[in-house]
Amino acid sequence: MTSESVPVPASGGAGGSADADCGEPGTVRPGGRTARVREAVLRAAGDALAEHGFGGLDLADVARRAEVGKTTVYRRWSTPAGLVADLLTDMAEQSLPRTDTGSLAEDLRANARLVVRTLTDPRQRALFAAVIAAATGDPRTAEALHGFYAVRIGEWSGCVEAAVARGEVPVGTDPGEVVAAVSAPLYYRLLASGAPLDEAAADRAAAAAVAAARAGVFVR
């Protein structure tokens, strides 16, 4: 999996109820007042997740934090899982684009350092840990999380495709597998070992992925 420090919706209330919008979260692109309400609600949901985890995510509390009518939140998102799904959709859409340095090693090092910055930011660390934990027991949250990482891996796969074109790695190298190999050891440190997450760890993860790619490990 790969991630990065993603912009989050700006703070700010949006009192009252939103324009009617009962579509599946992530399938509509509201504008105007509805967009401002969605922005406020998703920011509030991220704050609540970071503070209390998925188990403590309550739609009424999110509505209160966002200064939005409860009816608006229940009508549009229905459940905490639906709210998390839309939050992840929004995060994927707002994520920073990949680095393009002309060198696979430098591109993947930038990716790894971005992951580390995300996972060491107090709010983002807590938010991702909460969503990952929820995904282990909630199918809809898991689907949304998989979708988020598919978008981000797809974005960073371009650096591997360019490396193949330059002859840095063998033809047939699976870009997604290379990108996933960069962040996998970093998430292991976050979720399993508790080992330090720093730039040294990021650089080692990137170097290992590059060495494996050059050796043909990820050729389909």
Side-chain angles (χ1 to χ4, degrees):
M1 294 186 295
T2 186
S3 177
E4 59 284 318
S5 182
V6 291
V8 293
S11 298
S17 63
D19 304 330
D21 180 4
C22 300
E24 182 73 9
T27 64
V28 292
R29 298 292 179 270
R33 186 163 179 270
T34 300
R36 293 193 296 273
V37 169
R38 179 174 181 253
E39 181 182 23
V41 169
L42 294 185
R43 173 71 195 198
D47 289 343
L49 271 172
E51 292 173 19
H52 304 300
F54 183 78
L57 185 61
D58 177 74
L59 297 188
D61 176 56
V62 169
R64 178 188 60 77
R65 290 170 181 255
E67 299 180 13
V68 171
K70 287 190 294 184
T71 301
T72 296
V73 177
Y74 281 99
R75 180 179 64 237
R76 174 157 186 183
W77 289 279
S78 304
T79 65
L83 187 53
V84 170
D86 200 21
L87 176 64
L88 288 168
T89 296
D90 184 69
M91 289 169 66
E93 291 171 351
Q94 295 193 52
S95 293
L96 300 175
R98 70 178 177 88
T99 299
D100 185 4
T101 66
S103 162
L104 181 63
E106 291 300 322
D107 288 349
L108 295 187
R109 184 180 296 115
N111 175 267
R113 289 186 176 191
L114 208 48
V115 173
V116 166
R117 287 201 298 274
T118 296
L119 299 183
T120 54
D121 174 84
R123 183 182 187 277
Q124 296 282 21
R125 180 188 182 105
L127 194 157
F128 274 101
V131 172
I132 291 169
T136 63
D138 183 86
R140 187 172 184 184
T141 304
E143 181 181 1
L145 185 64
H146 298 162
F148 171 83
Y149 283 116
V151 169
R152 299 315 302 151
I153 287 176
E155 171 69 21
W156 281 86
S157 290
C159 68
V160 183
E161 294 165 357
V164 172
R166 291 192 299 264
E168 286 190 68
V169 294
V171 173
T173 296
D174 187 323
E177 289 295 323
V178 176
V179 176
V182 174
S183 56
L186 304 176
Y187 276 90
Y188 177 81
R189 285 170 178 257
L190 172 70
L191 299 171
S193 74
L197 274 169
D198 50 26
E199 285 195 349
D203 292 351
R204 284 194 298 272
V210 171
R214 288 173 175 166
V217 171
F218 301 113
V219 173
R220 298 183 187 90

